[in-house]
Amino acid sequence: MSDGIGMSSCCLSGAVHEGKPTGRVDQIGGLQTYIAEPKTGSKEKTVVIISDNKQADSNLPTQVFGWEFNNTRLLADEYAAAGFYTYLPDFHEGDSIPISFLQNIEPPLKKREQLSVTEKATNAALIPTTLGPWLVKHREAVSRPLIDGFINTLRMTPGTNTIGAVGFCWGGRYAILQAHGKTEGSVGGVDAAFAAHPSLVAVPEDFDSVSKPLSLAFGTKDSLVDEKTRGQIVDLMSKKTELEHEIRIYEDQVHGFALRSDWSSDADKKAMDEATRQGIEWMSRYLK
């Protein structure tokens, strides 16, 4: 597991977006996977979405995080509508964190802003007891081979030409790692990657080895990647003069804005839409 930037309560909040996903669920590479197909059905340009670490609660069947989160599946549908054969695998293998716990310790953003300093500290203190064990169980030594193996399965799928990784929060870091290209023994690696508000990133280690086109999205109010850390990342990437990359900063956006923004706010909705467009345009440019 990375010893870099951690995961905070910001990552645990958000609104469930309206709409019904139109894809299907199948078993791919041994993992339950949501699949959204383009109208053509072509796998030539393939996208893998690496979601964050939230999951369903049996008492809240319509409010689901992780690979089953309605927002994430709707996003997969958007990529499919843009022409990408899109996969959203359950890289947590049914072991994501229940949303009921997250709602107890992290209310919606507007309500959180009304909490006192003491109340915020009390809520924050609860996070390590649940996230800590989960992050150990799903550390890099466990999760990266799953993701690499899934990418390899797609490489061997007839009709697949290029593959892109799109990641958020916990999954954002793994999208960056996939942009390192193939590891020793030709394992994993994608042709382009987009990461929005990645967490647990190690600076500079995770960025030194990036060798594929990488697009990044950060919010100025992201508690996991502060201004200093963003500056370090910008400096690291600017030295890769021969590598196509971009870093977009979204004003007044917290961690998680690209996937779980509050649609009651026009500014937040606009930022989320722009981040979605950022990822789709990046994939359109580099997946052929």
Side-chain angles (χ1 to χ4, degrees), residues 20-267:
K20 183 177 181 180
T22 58
R24 60 185 172 87
V25 174
D26 204 344
Q27 191 94 351
I28 305 293
L31 297 175
Q32 284 286 97
T33 303
Y34 177 80
I35 301 172
E37 301 183 24
K39 288 184 178 180
T40 62
S42 172
K43 296 183 176 70
E44 187 173 7
K45 297 184 294 182
T46 289
V47 164
V48 179
I49 296 179
I50 310 174
S51 61
D52 55 14
N53 62 330
K54 289 76 180 181
Q55 186 55 291
D57 184 281
S58 59
N59 297 317
L60 297 166
T62 62
Q63 297 189 22
V64 188
F65 281 50
W67 81 290
E68 292 180 303
F69 186 29
N70 198 61
N71 299 16
T72 319
R73 292 191 174 191
L74 290 174
L75 180 70
D77 290 349
E78 288 196 58
Y79 273 85
F84 302 98
Y85 201 98
T86 307
Y87 298 88
L88 173 58
D90 179 15
F91 287 124
H92 307 145
E93 298 184 294
D95 184 45
S96 297
I97 298 172
I99 192 174
S100 58
F101 167 79
L102 306 180
Q103 289 177 327
N104 287 335
I105 66 167
E106 180 67 3
L109 181 60
K110 291 181 180 179
K111 183 177 179 181
R112 191 188 71 191
E113 291 176 341
Q114 299 173 355
L115 296 176
S116 68
V117 173
T118 300
E119 288 172 326
K120 290 180 180 179
T122 299
N123 289 344
L126 297 174
I127 297 172
T129 60
T130 294
L131 281 181
W134 188 93
L135 291 173
V136 170
K137 186 175 182 180
H138 297 276
R139 58 194 180 278
E140 182 179 339
V142 174
S143 297
R144 190 168 184 180
L146 280 177
I147 298 171
D148 286 347
F150 191 88
I151 298 297
N152 284 356
T153 296
L154 299 187
R155 290 285 186 197
M156 295 184 290
T157 300
T160 301
N161 184 33
T162 52
I163 300 175
V166 173
F168 302 88
C169 191
W170 177 90
R173 176 176 183 253
Y174 286 96
I176 294 169
L177 296 183
Q178 287 300 316
H180 291 184
K182 293 182 179 179
T183 59
E184 185 177 354
S186 297
V187 177
V190 296
D191 301 291
F194 167 67
H197 40 78
S199 61
L200 301 168
V201 292
V203 181
E205 294 86 350
D206 288 349
F207 298 90
D208 282 341
S209 298
V210 171
S211 62
K212 301 295 182 180
L214 174 63
S215 177
L216 298 167
F218 296 106
T220 59
K221 292 187 177 180
D222 191 329
S223 61
L224 304 190
V225 183
D226 58 20
E227 185 176 359
K228 179 180 178 181
T229 304
R230 289 198 309 271
Q232 292 174 334
I233 294 171
V234 169
D235 288 343
L236 285 168
M237 296 304 295
S238 66
K239 296 175 182 178
K240 296 180 175 291
T241 56
E242 297 182 358
L243 176 69
E244 294 293 330
H245 67 277
E246 68 173 0
I247 300 176
R248 297 189 188 181
I249 309 299
Y250 291 80
E251 291 294 327
D252 297 325
Q253 293 302 309
V254 299
H255 190 75
F257 79 91
L259 194 59
R260 294 186 300 280
S261 292
D262 183 351
W263 282 19
S264 65
S265 165
D266 290 340

